[in-house]
Amino acid sequence: MLGTELFPYEDDGISFNQRAGVRAVSAPVHYREWGHKVQSYRPNWAMLREHAPARGDAGSIDALLAAHAAVGQRIRRIIDRLRPQGITRMRRLEDGEDLNLTAAVDAMVMLRLGRQPDARITMRTVIHRRDLADLILLDLSESTNEAVRGTSGSVLDLTRAATALLATALSGIGDPFAVHGFASDGRHDVRYVRFKDFAERFDAPVKARLAGMSGGLSTRMGTAIRHAGRQLARRPEGHRLLLVVTDGAPADVDERDPQHLRMDARTAVEELRAAGIRSYCLSLDPLADRYVERIFGAGGYAVIDHVRRLPERLPTLFAKLTR
């Protein structure tokens, strides 16, 4: 397997990795990690690579949306409240940008009649936009393959359904958004997957990537948060939100101290906050209260005890966060 994408000399658009049936892997990116015992950073401690997502049946995502049609109707009502209301023209201004012809004619008539005209003969056009960029970061660790009690699906299945519903909502609102995922196998192998980037539409190719989403390995959350924060830091919007969806605490195969990765994730959240990026965690772990507040802070998280409610709760919660 080649670590980067190389193409044959005759360049027909198919890389060596693709010819060999191996998904593309990016060059490594190194991130520091906070050591809570020594109260200092470990420089270049974790290595992250971006992996090309597998592809599934895009039609299965459409089927998921159809299966949750009732939830989709509620989301559409949320969209109607959140969608920018287009263009407003502020009339009868003294210092507007454009001439209001009706007001100007009225002023001329008043002058001809020898009366004091109204000086407010200009107007200004205001375009309503939501100055917000959103990145949804999905935990793709092994535990997401566990079955959800009372359903025939896994945590990953419900996460996929909720993400599809949320993506539909965001597409309707018009916010630029991305959907990424992560897992890890030790500090030298943090894996990051882009299912949808900001410039892409929520179309068939993106749906195919969501359909091919799979769970495995561990949860080195701090490194993934830093990498997601790097993507958000490049956005021009005034408000940027990172929404982390996870079903457990940060953990990895090479770290025995359970507090180490939790404190590192907390530090990563603080780094994003200092950069003007808001972080929020939606936890599917009923015991998350013991650690998630330490990572994301009071008011920076929500715990869904019944994971089967995720497809309904995620878009609604997101709407409250981004009003």
Side-chain angles (χ1 to χ4, degrees):
M1 179 185 72
L2 297 173
T4 58
E5 284 296 88
L6 296 178
F7 292 83
Y9 178 77
E10 61 270 18
D11 192 4
D12 55 4
I14 302 176
S15 70
F16 285 113
N17 278 332
Q18 291 171 323
R19 288 174 181 271
V22 179
R23 296 204 301 272
V25 180
S26 74
V29 182
H30 293 87
Y31 286 96
R32 62 184 182 177
E33 198 165 272
W34 178 254
H36 74 103
K37 290 183 177 179
V38 296
Q39 290 294 291
S40 66
Y41 283 104
R42 299 169 173 176
N44 297 324
W45 189 253
M47 185 176 73
L48 178 146
R49 289 180 185 268
E50 293 191 3
H51 290 243
R55 296 179 183 270
D57 178 13
S60 66
I61 299 299
D62 293 325
L64 277 176
L65 294 172
H68 293 91
V71 178
Q73 291 177 358
R74 288 194 288 272
I75 294 172
R76 279 191 287 274
R77 288 196 289 270
I78 294 172
I79 292 173
D80 288 338
R81 293 196 296 269
L82 292 177
R83 183 185 291 117
Q85 297 302 309
I87 297 175
T88 299
R89 288 185 173 85
M90 301 176 64
R91 305 178 188 276
R92 297 287 181 178
L93 301 176
E94 292 186 6
D95 59 346
E97 300 166 346
D98 302 304
L99 181 67
N100 185 337
L101 289 177
T102 301
V105 170
D106 290 343
M108 291 296 296
V109 171
M110 296 301 287
L111 281 172
R112 291 290 182 92
L113 293 174
R115 299 178 184 177
Q116 181 66 33
D118 188 341
R120 298 173 298 172
I121 61 171
T122 61
M123 63 183 182
R124 181 180 297 116
T125 301
V126 179
I127 302 175
H128 297 283
R129 295 188 179 96
R130 280 163 48 90
D131 191 21
L132 173 68
D134 322 300
L135 195 155
I136 300 97
L137 183 61
L138 306 176
D139 172 4
L140 302 177
S141 59
E142 177 63 35
S143 57
T144 61
N145 293 320
E146 295 179 3
V148 177
R149 185 177 301 177
T151 75
S152 59
S154 65
V155 172
L156 188 70
D157 292 331
L158 289 174
T159 300
R160 182 186 290 108
T163 303
L165 287 166
L166 180 55
T168 301
L170 290 173
S171 296
I173 297 169
D175 286 351
F177 73 100
V179 180
H180 297 170
F182 74 98
S184 62
D185 190 22
R187 67 185 181 95
H188 295 297
D189 189 11
V190 182
R191 306 180 186 184
Y192 194 93
V193 181
R194 298 171 182 252
F195 299 106
K196 180 191 177 300
D197 275 324
F198 291 103
E200 294 181 296
R201 299 177 59 187
F202 185 54
D203 53 12
V206 171
K207 291 177 181 178
R209 295 174 209 148
L210 282 180
M213 189 167 67
S214 61
L217 308 176
S218 300
T219 318
R220 209 171 195 98
M221 187 180 294
T223 302
I225 286 175
R226 289 185 178 94
H227 195 66
R230 177 178 288 187
Q231 321 310 314
L232 279 168
R234 297 171 179 155
R235 297 300 306 175
E237 288 77 15
H239 301 281
R240 294 160 292 178
L241 173 67
L242 174 65
L243 178 63
V244 180
V245 182
T246 180
D247 70 331
D252 211 340
V253 293
D254 60 348
E255 187 53 61
R256 296 182 179 180
D257 178 6
Q259 294 304 316
H260 171 69
L261 292 180
R262 297 181 187 185
M263 292 300 98
D264 177 61
R266 174 183 177 178
T267 305
V269 168
E270 292 172 348
E271 292 167 9
L272 264 61
R273 186 181 300 119
I277 300 171
R278 182 182 180 186
S279 301
Y280 193 90
C281 178
L282 184 62
S283 177
L284 313 180
D285 180 4
L287 303 178
D289 287 312
R290 297 187 303 183
Y291 59 84
V292 72
E293 183 173 346
R294 296 186 66 189
I295 297 174
F296 291 90
Y301 70 97
V303 177
I304 296 182
D305 294 335
H306 301 289
V307 71
R308 58 181 172 271
R309 295 189 62 195
L310 177 60
E312 177 181 359
R313 288 290 306 278
L314 178 54
T316 306
L317 175 63
F318 190 90
K320 293 179 181 178
L321 283 172
T322 58
R323 286 189 188 278

